[in-house]
């Protein structure tokens, strides 16, 4: 799984791939909505716009927030 994610990061952002360094609820909501209105895509948290892996700690609280954002 790790190598697949690293391969995705190497391809860079595009129509179907977005990097988010942090957990910004409005920004994530917009990206999820945009992907839902098109033909899908992937958001990788913990990676900056230049493709540098910064890391991200997905807590239960943040996981719950993501689920709520995706449902709205």
């Amino acid at each position: 799984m790790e190598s697949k994610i690293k391969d995705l990061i190497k391809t860079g952002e595009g129509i179907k791939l977005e990097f988010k360094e942090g957990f910004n609820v409005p920004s994530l909501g917009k990206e999820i909505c945009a992907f839902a209105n098109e033909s899908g895509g992937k958001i990788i948290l913990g990676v900056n716009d230049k493709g540098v892996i910064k890391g991200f700690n997905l807590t239960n609280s943040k996981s719950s927030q993501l689920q709520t954002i995706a449902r709205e």
Side-chain angles (χ1 to χ4, degrees), residues 24-51:
N24 180 310
V25 173
S27 177
L28 283 171
K30 288 178 186 177
E31 293 299 334
I32 291 170
C33 183
F35 284 147
N37 286 325
E38 291 297 324
S39 56
K42 292 177 175 55
I43 300 170
I44 302 178
L45 293 171
V47 178
N48 71 15
D49 288 339
K50 294 181 181 180

Side-chain angles (χ1 to χ4, degrees), residues 15-28:
I15 295 172
K16 300 214 180 256
L17 182 62
E18 184 69 28
F19 302 149
K20 294 293 178 194
E21 187 170 345
F23 192 84
N24 180 310
V25 173
S27 177
L28 283 171

Side-chain angles (χ1 to χ4, degrees), residues 57-72:
N57 183 25
L58 183 63
T59 63
N60 285 338
S61 173
K62 288 181 180 163
S63 179
S64 179
Q65 281 181 294
L66 277 172
Q67 290 174 355
T68 299
I69 293 167
R71 281 189 223 118
E72 294 176 349

